[in-house]
Amino acid sequence: MSDPIETAIFEKLSAADPKGVGGKSIEPAEVAKALQPEQWQRMLPKVKGVALGLMRQGRLTITKKGKAVDPSSVKGVIRLRLPTEAETAAALAALPPVPQDDDDIA
């Protein structure tokens, strides 16, 4: 089952950046307002949390003033955009290595 917040993030991004090249960005508040128009402020921390997880997977870039940032050290307004190929590669390289299965040695 797909996460509705993740789905909403990528729907908003595909509308803003139809070519998917990582050029256009959206505000997390746009996603929160689409999910809960009346109480979007309560949804905003959840949207940012999902965005952080997507960033760690290399599927999203979090920016401030147009530059990719580490969200754990940033305060204030952030934006979300699709990553460039280089950003995706860097995020995947930063993931911990997958343990090798030793079943081949017998």
Side-chain angles (χ1 to χ4, degrees), residues 47-84:
V47 171
K48 289 180 177 180
V50 170
L52 180 62
L54 292 170
M55 184 204 74
R56 288 182 177 144
Q57 296 171 13
R59 298 174 59 201
L60 189 71
T61 298
I62 298 175
T63 65
K64 183 167 181 130
K65 296 184 180 180
K67 298 187 190 305
V69 295
D70 176 6
S72 62
S73 63
V74 172
K75 293 184 181 183
V77 178
I78 60 169
R79 295 186 64 86
L80 312 174
R81 69 170 165 78
L82 294 173
T84 63

